[in-house]
Amino acid sequence: MQATVITITSGKGGVGKTTTTANLGASLALLGKKVVVIDGDIGLRNLDIVMGLENRIVYDAVDYVEGRCRLRQAMIRDKRAPELYVMPTAQTRDKSAIGPAQMRQVCDDLREEMDYVIIDSPAGIEQGFQTCLAPADRVLIVVNAEVSSVRDADRVLGLIEAQEKGPAHLIINRLNAARVRRQDMLSAEDVEEILTTEIIGIVPEDESILTSTNKGVPVVLNGRGPAANAYRDIARRLTGEDLPLQKTQNASILSRLFGRG
Amino acid sequence: MGFFDRFFGNRGSANAAKNRLRLALVHDSGALAPGQVEIIRDEIIGVLSKHLKIERDQVNISLDQGKGEVRLLVDVPLSVHKRAA
């Protein structure tokens, strides 16, 4: 077995990287893959709480890198899927505790045992981002259809290209199809064209994300709904399945009746 | 004008976002510094005015993005008056 390392990044904060990481990890695990999701945001750990596993942390990635525990001890098993693990990061250590070389080593140690290693990158383009980019085989950029997010995504794309980690793919997150139809929000196609980067998935704005995050259950483990379906589709595309993109998801009945386009 | 436009207004704010982003990304890439467009506009007006009568106030410089390329578009309306009888 030789895992694929996927880094989820965005440049701008708050666009949905951690939610995306949790849901893609869980979706791939539900497809029968062995998956570990790694929190790459040292000092601002959140993947654990989004996934509802915050009370089960004993050791973290920094403990493993510094030799205080074995690999398996730094991974929390998520029992809601057959083979899903979460490697939390340290909350109290400084960001330099894991650099690019250490992150590469962690991923190499995991490659033999896993099908997918998914890294939740911190926002920004500083050291933490570079660390998470270093081991990546593929890079997914989470972007909202909004000017600051698109601009930051462009910066990140430049850095990914410079590191020869491309071609990256876009996940358009929180798209509101009704607003796109009113020409009040950039469309997925607009973002794809502006960034000249291919889209791997479009996740519609969905209220169930907040409620499921409140409960610590990734939506894909919790049932259906537009965002859950979109994440499952992205996971299938990551495994190589050729699924067409549905660029006009999330059309409410009202906007279907009255909207245009 | 569609149903939503009449009720919610804001038609085309997505288009404004798109155009502003295109220019911002070209600025970010270092290919064209912010403010340089204005300098280019003034110089183009200067050169063309030597040879042509142009509508100075309506010279428009914009960016057009196609597949893998960005082009600078310069739109210069000429002052054309009706020929004297």
Side-chain angles (χ1 to χ4, degrees), chain A residues 74-144:
Chain A
M75 292 158 59
I76 305 165
R77 164 116 200 269
D78 188 331
K79 294 169 189 137
R80 295 166 297 191
E83 295 265 13
L84 176 61
Y85 302 88
V86 180
M87 187 182 279
T89 189
Q91 183 68 316
T92 54
R93 301 295 298 272
D94 77 279
K95 288 185 221 168
S96 60
I98 300 180
Q102 287 84 6
M103 191 59 105
R104 253 190 234 110
Q105 188 60 55
V106 169
C107 291
D108 285 344
D109 296 344
L110 288 165
R111 273 181 207 274
E112 295 303 317
E113 299 186 42
M114 296 287 154
D115 295 310
Y116 290 93
V117 176
I118 306 181
I119 306 173
D120 183 21
S121 155
I125 51 174
E126 316 301 330
Q127 184 60 57
F129 158 74
Q130 297 288 353
T131 293
C132 293
L133 185 60
D137 300 313
R138 307 191 57 158
V139 185
L140 304 183
I141 298 179
V142 182
V143 59
N144 296 162

Side-chain angles (χ1 to χ4, degrees), chain A residues 7-25 46-47 50 118-123 140-146 149 171-175 203-204 209-210 213 219 227 231 234:
Chain A
T7 296
I8 314 273
T9 190
S10 66
K12 189 177 184 298
V15 299
K17 281 183 299 297
T18 303
T19 302
T20 301
T21 303
N23 280 290
L24 291 185
N46 271 324
L47 189 56
V50 166
I118 306 181
I119 306 173
D120 183 21
S121 155
L140 304 183
I141 298 179
V142 182
V143 59
N144 296 162
E146 167 272 318
S149 175
I171 294 176
I172 314 288
N173 199 26
R174 290 191 200 138
L175 195 73
V203 183
I209 292 288
L210 180 60
T213 305
V219 279
Y231 286 124
I234 296 169

Side-chain angles (χ1 to χ4, degrees), chain A residues 12-42:
Chain A
K12 189 177 184 298
V15 299
K17 281 183 299 297
T18 303
T19 302
T20 301
T21 303
N23 280 290
L24 291 185
S27 297
L28 285 163
L30 292 176
L31 291 172
K33 307 294 181 186
K34 295 179 80 170
V35 182
V36 57
V37 290
I38 301 179
D39 192 333
D41 201 350
I42 299 176

Side-chain angles (χ1 to χ4, degrees), chain B residues 10 12 15-16 18 29 33 40 47 53-55 58 61 70 79-80 85:
Chain B
N10 282 331
N15 211 41
K18 204 170 165 181
S29 75
I40 292 170
V47 170
K53 281 191 173 172
I54 63 175
E55 300 286 354
Q58 290 171 40
I61 298 190
V70 182
S79 307
V80 182

Side-chain angles (χ1 to χ4, degrees), chain A residues 172-250:
Chain A
I172 314 288
N173 199 26
R174 290 191 200 138
L175 195 73
N176 183 322
R179 300 195 77 177
V180 171
R181 220 170 281 116
R182 302 202 289 270
Q183 298 180 32
D184 195 18
M185 183 183 239
L186 292 167
S187 68
E189 292 87 342
D190 287 338
V191 176
E192 186 171 47
E193 182 193 313
I194 290 166
L195 295 175
T196 57
T197 302
E198 206 181 313
I199 295 173
I200 193 169
I202 300 165
V203 183
E205 196 167 53
D206 185 342
E207 288 182 2
S208 66
I209 292 288
L210 180 60
T211 52
S212 71
T213 305
N214 287 343
K215 295 175 192 158
V217 183
V219 279
V220 297
L221 295 175
N222 205 10
R224 310 213 69 81
N229 290 338
Y231 286 124
R232 290 195 193 98
D233 284 356
I234 296 169
R236 287 167 64 189
R237 289 187 195 105
L238 287 170
T239 67
E241 215 176 305
D242 186 20
L243 276 182
L245 278 175
Q246 296 185 352
K247 296 199 175 177
T248 50
Q249 282 173 356
N250 193 33

Side-chain angles (χ1 to χ4, degrees), chain A residues 38-87:
Chain A
I38 301 179
D39 192 333
D41 201 350
I42 299 176
L44 290 169
R45 103 177 151 204
N46 271 324
L47 189 56
D48 56 327
I49 198 163
V50 166
M51 296 188 75
L53 302 170
E54 70 276 15
N55 294 324
R56 293 185 46 206
I57 298 175
V58 181
Y59 295 105
D60 58 47
V62 177
D63 291 320
Y64 174 63
V65 164
E66 296 181 350
R68 284 187 294 276
C69 69
R70 286 176 287 110
L71 187 59
R72 285 276 167 177
Q73 291 178 301
M75 292 158 59
I76 305 165
R77 164 116 200 269
D78 188 331
K79 294 169 189 137
R80 295 166 297 191
E83 295 265 13
L84 176 61
Y85 302 88
V86 180
M87 187 182 279

